[in-house]
């Protein structure tokens, strides 16, 4: 995904290190300083932290809407991805140094027409009553999905039939994300 970047290489590195430190702190019991190191990282933003281990998804948790500072959001979502994603067993202390972290900083979701969804640019949130599903912009690229498949898979993530995106009353929202991550696993 190309386009302008909002976060400098230094800010990206600070956020990635924070994610690793947040996971490590669970094992050591160390307290993290969650005071953002800059006004930019203190801005409230939605974000997801995705963990990979040896190329496989190991956890992904995030907040769509801005709840707290990006700095604190990354710390919370990294810890939650490692220890609260019910799809996976808890990350072990042996696995932690080998995790690769990917952070997706989100724009605020806005209503979007299905025809306007751009693969690789937009993430999707599909909502119908109590059902809600979200897929990040990089997901359809990873799976080589077209627009229709992306909409169908977001419905599926929401627990809805694949074609639900065409139903009356379904809310489709798009968002963009600045995505960055570790180039290689952290070695300790």
């Amino acid at each position: 995904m190309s386009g302008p970047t909002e976060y400098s290489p230094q800010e990206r590195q600070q956020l990635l290190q924070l994610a690793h430190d947040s996971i490590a702190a669970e094992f050591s019991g160390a307290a993290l300083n969650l005071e953002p190191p800059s006004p930019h990282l203190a801005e409230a933003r939605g974000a997801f932290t995705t963990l990979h281990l040896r190329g496989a998804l190991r956890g992904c948790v995030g907040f769509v809407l801005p709840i707290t500072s990006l700095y604190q959001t990354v710390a919370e979502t990294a810890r939650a991805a490692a220890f609260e994603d019910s799809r996976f067993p808890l990350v072990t202390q042996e696995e932690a140094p080998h995790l690769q972290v990917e952070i997706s900083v989100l724009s605020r979701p806005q209503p979007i027409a299905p025809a306007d969804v751009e693969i690789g640019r937009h993430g999707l949130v599909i909502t119908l009553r109590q059902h809600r599903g979200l897929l990040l912009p990089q997901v359809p690229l990873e799976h080589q999905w077209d627009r229709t498949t992306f909409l169908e898979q977001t419905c599926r993530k929401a627990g809805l039939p694949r074609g639900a995106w065409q139903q009356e009353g379904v809310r489709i929202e798009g968002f963009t994300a600045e995505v960055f991550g570790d180039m290689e696993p952290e070695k300790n």
Side-chain angles (χ1 to χ4, degrees):
M1 295 185 334
S2 59
T5 58
E6 181 179 346
Y7 296 94
S8 71
Q10 178 186 0
E11 289 172 321
R12 289 173 173 221
Q13 191 52 48
Q14 287 175 311
L15 292 170
L16 290 166
Q17 188 60 54
L18 172 65
H20 285 286
D21 291 348
S22 180
I23 294 166
E26 276 297 301
F27 297 112
S28 69
L32 283 182
N33 176 2
L34 295 181
E35 188 64 36
S38 70
H40 193 212
L41 297 181
E43 293 173 3
R45 295 294 294 269
F48 277 72
T49 300
T50 304
L51 305 178
H52 295 275
L53 183 65
R54 293 184 272 285
L57 180 64
R58 192 61 178 80
C60 182
V61 172
F63 303 127
V64 178
L65 298 176
I67 295 170
T68 186
S69 75
L70 175 60
Y71 200 73
Q72 186 169 339
T73 295
V74 167
E76 290 178 17
T77 58
R79 189 193 56 70
F83 305 110
E84 296 175 14
D85 188 334
S86 61
R87 299 172 296 173
F88 302 95
L90 304 181
V91 166
T92 66
Q93 192 164 2
E94 293 73 31
E95 291 172 326
H98 304 289
L99 291 172
Q100 285 185 282
V101 174
E102 180 179 85
I103 296 171
S104 302
V105 183
L106 310 184
S107 68
R108 187 174 279 279
Q110 301 289 332
I112 191 169
D116 294 335
V117 174
E118 294 178 40
I119 297 297
R121 173 169 163 70
H122 294 115
L124 291 176
V125 180
I126 292 183
T127 309
L128 179 63
R129 294 181 292 282
Q130 76 276 16
H131 296 275
R132 184 178 197 187
L134 177 143
L135 289 175
L136 296 169
Q138 57 269 40
V139 172
L141 291 174
E142 292 167 359
H143 296 283
Q144 299 176 348
W145 292 339
D146 61 19
R147 179 185 301 130
T148 300
T149 305
F150 186 27
L151 288 157
E152 290 173 347
Q153 290 297 323
T154 309
C155 288
R156 189 168 165 251
K157 180 92 184 266
L160 296 167
R162 287 178 185 248
W165 61 275
Q166 301 172 64
Q167 292 179 8
E168 187 77 27
V170 170
R171 189 169 75 239
I172 302 172
E173 296 173 294
F175 60 89
T176 58
E178 183 170 335
V179 181
F180 52 93
D182 297 325
M183 295 315 259
E184 54 188 55
E186 183 175 303
K187 306 273 191 281
N188 284 350

